[in-house]
Amino acid sequence: MPMADASSPRSLSFRQRLLSLITLSSHVSAPFITTFLLIHLSAPALANVGGSSLSSQVMLLGREYYQTSLAEPYLVLGPLAVHALSGLIRRALIMYPKIKSPSITDENTSKPLTFSQRIRGALPTTTLSFTAYTVLLLLPIHLGIHRILPQTTTPPVLSLGPSELDYSFVQYGLQRWPARTWAMYAVLVGAAITHAVEGSRVLMGNFGLESSVKKPSSNSVVPMNPKVRRKILAAALALPVLSGLYVLYKERLYLFADMGRRLEGVYRLSWIYNTQ
């Protein structure tokens, strides 16, 4: 029995249906991630008001939502995995025909593009895509340092409990290794918030809500360019989080020597911090 050609209507319709399904799964998982992000980032932001004490209290309250035996896999890790895999598969489905087809020509010369040129042309160029891959790169490192490595049972860590793993852990990293810790937090926070802002535009457009948003008048001080407005919004949302981290960085840290060794041990288990 002859196989269907990859360019046949049947194959194309299957690919389109698959793309639609993957896009839907990405969009459905997004609100769960946004909810987690709001709760998770509210703790460092509130350090502007109450320092590490308030941040730790808010974080412990937030864990009641996202770090229980049921909530963490189904409301946080599951949606994160679905969102990431959906994005990667969708990107692969979009890129593959562009890379495979030798008939794509240069717009200026009308000559067929080389394989390397087709790859470059298929790579993501939007802010949404760049921030997605940035988060995808840094999030496993962040998750490992703050969630997985503290559970190490061997000395000197000895499995830090939830009550022990408060914002003194963040302070320790900021004050002990300021350059690399600041770089990781700043890039991760900035990329995550920017991705959320850019993604909200896509969701609103798909659900027909973008047109209902009131646009600024010509006399408004808000820039008319939507891209600029989104960047300003992302910066405005990231600023209190980063300023809260600065408060934690400058706040004097009081730790017992034994606890300091345990926190140091957690960080040292990560390749980011296992060098001086």
Side-chain angles (χ1 to χ4, degrees), residues 201-240:
R201 174 188 61 86
V202 176
L203 287 175
M204 291 173 67
N206 287 343
F207 288 104
L209 299 175
E210 192 173 27
S211 58
S212 64
V213 178
K214 185 179 179 181
K215 296 182 179 180
S217 64
S218 58
N219 297 325
S220 174
V221 295
V222 180
M224 293 296 294
N225 189 323
K227 291 183 179 180
V228 176
R229 290 205 305 270
R230 291 196 299 272
K231 286 180 172 58
I232 291 174
L233 175 59
L237 293 173
L239 182 60

Side-chain angles (χ1 to χ4, degrees), residues 9 20 57 67 88 98 107-108 113 132 139 150 161 173 178 186 195 198 216-217 224 229 235 249 260:
S20 298
Q57 292 175 42
Q67 215 171 80
L88 290 172
K98 295 180 180 180
E107 294 180 357
N108 299 321
L113 295 176
L139 187 59
H195 185 75
E198 293 288 336
S217 64
M224 293 296 294
R229 290 205 305 270
Y249 168 65

Side-chain angles (χ1 to χ4, degrees), residues 244-261:
L245 289 173
Y246 181 76
V247 170
L248 296 171
Y249 168 65
K250 298 299 290 184
E251 183 180 283
R252 190 174 181 85
L253 178 60
Y254 296 95
L255 283 176
F256 289 112
D258 178 63
M259 179 57 71
R261 285 191 293 269

Side-chain angles (χ1 to χ4, degrees), residues 7-230:
S7 61
S8 67
R10 183 178 178 182
S11 298
L12 289 175
S13 63
F14 171 76
R15 177 174 168 274
Q16 290 168 352
R17 289 197 300 270
L18 184 58
L19 272 171
S20 298
L21 180 62
I22 290 171
T23 302
L24 178 63
S25 65
S26 177
H27 291 174
V28 169
S29 60
F32 293 96
I33 300 170
T34 303
T35 303
F36 163 72
L37 198 64
L38 288 171
I39 296 171
H40 193 60
L41 294 183
S42 63
L46 286 171
N48 292 291
V49 180
S52 61
S53 176
L54 182 58
S55 291
S56 296
Q57 292 175 42
V58 172
M59 181 187 65
L60 291 173
L61 287 173
R63 284 176 180 170
E64 295 298 320
Y65 164 75
Y66 64 78
Q67 215 171 80
T68 64
S69 58
L70 288 177
E72 189 169 37
Y74 294 112
L75 298 181
V76 181
L77 298 180
L80 280 170
V82 169
H83 197 74
L85 288 173
S86 298
L88 290 172
I89 295 172
R90 184 176 183 275
R91 174 55 54 184
L93 288 172
I94 292 173
M95 287 179 63
Y96 179 71
K98 295 180 180 180
I99 295 173
K100 183 183 177 184
S101 176
S103 60
I104 300 177
T105 58
D106 189 291
E107 294 180 357
N108 299 321
T109 64
S110 299
K111 294 181 179 179
L113 295 176
T114 64
F115 182 72
S116 61
Q117 288 175 325
R118 294 200 300 272
I119 290 180
R120 288 197 299 270
L123 291 175
T125 57
T126 64
T127 302
L128 184 66
S129 298
F130 276 125
T131 53
Y133 292 121
T134 302
V135 173
L136 195 61
L137 176 66
L138 292 178
L139 187 59
I141 300 173
H142 180 78
L143 183 65
I145 294 171
H146 292 78
R147 185 72 181 96
I148 298 172
L149 295 180
Q151 299 178 27
T152 304
T153 56
T154 56
V157 179
L158 299 174
S159 189
L160 289 166
S163 61
E164 296 174 306
L165 199 64
D166 57 12
Y167 262 81
S168 61
F169 181 71
V170 175
Q171 285 181 275
Y172 190 88
L174 287 169
Q175 296 177 13
R176 178 71 174 80
W177 300 277
R180 66 192 83 176
T181 306
W182 265 114
M184 187 168 64
Y185 281 144
V187 174
L188 183 57
V189 168
I193 291 178
T194 303
H195 185 75
V197 171
E198 293 288 336
S200 66
R201 174 188 61 86
V202 176
L203 287 175
M204 291 173 67
N206 287 343
F207 288 104
L209 299 175
E210 192 173 27
S211 58
S212 64
V213 178
K214 185 179 179 181
K215 296 182 179 180
S217 64
S218 58
N219 297 325
S220 174
V221 295
V222 180
M224 293 296 294
N225 189 323
K227 291 183 179 180
V228 176
R229 290 205 305 270
R230 291 196 299 272

